[in-house]
Amino acid sequence: MSSNTPRLTALDALHRSLGATMTDFAGWDMPLRYGSERDEHLAVRTKAGLFDLSHMGEITVTGPQAAELLAFALVGNIATVGVGRARYTMICQEDGGILDDLIVYRLAEHEFMVVANASNAQVVLDALTGRSAGFDAVVRDDRDAYALIAVQGPESPGILASLTDADLDGLKYYAGLPGTVAGVPALIARTGYTGEDGFELFVAPADAEKVWQALTDAGTPVGLIPCGLSCRDTLRLEAGMPLYGHELTTSLTPFDAGLGRVVKFEKEGDFVGRAALQEAAERAEQNPPRVLVGLIAEGRRVPRAGYPVVAGGQVVGEITSGAPSPTLGKPIAMAYVDAAHAAPGSTGVGVDIRGTHEPYEVVALPFYKRRK
């Protein structure tokens, strides 16, 4: 396969049979939408949506020193993650810049699964492999070993419960357990990237169609529909969740991104980027960096990544993500803005949309929180 040929997920033929609009995303041919993006978005908010996320990058780390390797390679304290639990963390460069944000699952005492963003999977694999020198641990590329299917939305627990004997009620947020779904082995995780309750199912690629079809059959009566990457983006934006390449980049440290809490200086031993991150933490205390805020439009024009945020004729920030919000019925955006203009309710803030300063309201993130 040439490097220009997009990779296909195990569900590719199924997406095409459903009439999906496909797009190249991080080198994968992925469904952008099946019908109306708005309908798909609202299905996840009110009923359930089914996603193919097989483009995500799974990397398995095993061995007696797997936990120590991950504690050194990542900014989080992975040793404190219990078996069957998961943690949101980051991998940084020596200078503190964010290489990727990750979810790490502890599958056994000496076995972890690191899930990287599709666009960064090779970078993360290479970094972990390079950082494994001297540790009694093995880093394995498992991207081809899994298909990843997510079912998200308020109806998802009932839909999945009809297909598994796993204890879903006992499965906490940010946890994962092995089980069977529709009769096939799966790692069942409860993390999600939509702001709704839901599950991610890591299954063998050969089993993906069977699991997708079983979820479709079980979910259709309660309103489940297939959903593409486009509504996934508006869902995560409403939920105030960062997207690598937009809110997170190598030019930002976790402290610049307002996510300094993921850096655990108290853990034993050195870790990659520690010195630079300590400097970033001190710098952030003395001179607060730009703050990630939400912006809600007063008009109808949609801001896009890279547009300047303005106040009093001065540029005070930059849009990182923007889209129409189906839930709020208005355009929304996330932006890094100067601390002086970051307080919710700040007035006089606008977005420069092709030369016109459109008025926006500054709000705290997230825009949307589900009712528990």
Side-chain angles (χ1 to χ4, degrees):
M1 182 193 294
S2 84
S3 60
N4 296 330
T5 308
R7 298 177 69 172
L8 306 181
T9 79
L11 295 164
D12 184 74
L14 193 146
H15 298 317
R16 292 171 197 281
S17 74
L18 293 171
T21 299
M22 306 296 285
T23 189
D24 179 3
F25 184 84
W28 291 81
D29 219 6
M30 297 298 294
L32 190 62
R33 70 182 78 80
Y34 298 84
S36 152
E37 291 167 16
R38 186 174 180 277
D39 289 350
E40 290 172 26
H41 180 110
L42 294 174
V44 175
R45 285 277 176 261
T46 60
K47 300 181 179 76
L50 192 57
F51 296 85
D52 179 8
L53 305 180
S54 301
H55 60 316
M56 300 293 281
E58 296 89 4
I59 301 161
T60 304
V61 181
T62 57
Q65 291 188 306
E68 289 86 343
L69 163 58
L70 291 172
F72 169 72
L74 312 180
V75 300
N77 192 355
I78 303 306
T80 60
V81 179
V83 173
R85 298 306 304 267
R87 184 157 299 164
Y88 176 80
T89 187
M90 293 183 184
I91 183 167
C92 289
Q93 300 177 144
E94 203 59 78
D95 67 0
I98 302 166
L99 277 176
D100 200 12
D101 61 336
L102 310 166
I103 295 178
V104 178
Y105 297 91
R106 190 169 201 160
L107 304 181
E109 185 66 21
H110 301 302
E111 182 180 4
F112 297 82
M113 183 166 70
V114 177
V115 181
N117 284 295
S119 55
N120 295 329
Q122 190 63 48
V123 169
V124 173
L125 177 67
D126 291 345
L128 287 175
T129 303
R131 295 173 189 186
S132 68
F135 290 93
D136 187 2
V138 176
V139 176
R140 187 174 73 230
D141 180 1
D142 269 347
R143 283 176 288 179
D144 292 335
Y146 294 104
L148 179 55
I149 297 170
V151 55
Q152 294 275 307
E155 296 286 352
S156 58
I159 294 167
L160 186 56
S162 70
L163 300 172
T164 182
D165 55 6
D167 177 17
L168 298 185
D169 289 340
L171 184 66
K172 297 184 175 76
Y173 188 52
Y174 267 75
L177 85 172
T180 57
V181 175
V184 306
L187 173 68
I188 304 167
R190 196 173 206 159
T191 50
Y193 191 56
T194 62
E196 299 299 336
D197 192 11
F199 303 87
E200 295 73 47
L201 308 172
F202 296 86
V203 300
D207 293 329
E209 275 202 33
K210 181 179 180 183
V211 171
W212 179 281
Q213 200 54 56
L215 287 162
T216 299
D217 294 346
T220 299
V222 292
L224 174 139
I225 60 172
C227 293
L229 292 182
S230 187
C231 84
R232 186 169 161 82
D233 192 47
T234 52
L235 289 159
R236 71 93 196 167
L237 178 55
E238 288 184 352
M241 293 178 169
L243 175 65
Y244 195 88
H246 289 257
E247 288 72 40
L248 308 174
T249 68
T250 51
S251 64
L252 296 172
T253 72
F255 295 94
D256 297 321
L259 291 165
R261 65 180 182 276
V262 305
V263 181
K264 304 300 181 187
F265 292 121
E266 70 276 14
K267 65 181 174 177
E268 283 183 30
D270 196 16
F271 62 90
V272 177
R274 180 193 272 272
L277 288 167
Q278 278 177 318
E279 285 179 20
E282 290 161 14
R283 205 164 50 240
E285 270 192 28
Q286 291 157 8
N287 182 19
R290 284 183 165 178
V291 180
L292 188 65
V293 301
L295 297 173
I296 300 179
E298 292 180 22
R300 308 303 306 168
R301 296 182 75 187
V302 178
R304 298 298 182 191
Y307 285 12
V309 179
V310 291
Q314 301 293 313
V315 174
V316 298
E318 184 176 308
I319 300 292
T320 54
S321 298
S325 165
T327 304
L328 302 185
K330 297 176 178 178
I332 59 172
M334 287 200 279
Y336 283 111
V337 302
D338 293 346
H341 300 279
S346 293
T347 55
V349 174
V351 178
D352 184 339
I353 301 182
R354 298 189 187 88
T356 305
H357 292 186
E358 299 284 340
Y360 274 74
E361 179 191 356
V362 179
V363 298
L365 292 169
F367 298 97
Y368 167 85
K369 262 189 183 161
R370 70 181 171 98
R371 293 190 181 93
K372 297 289 187 210

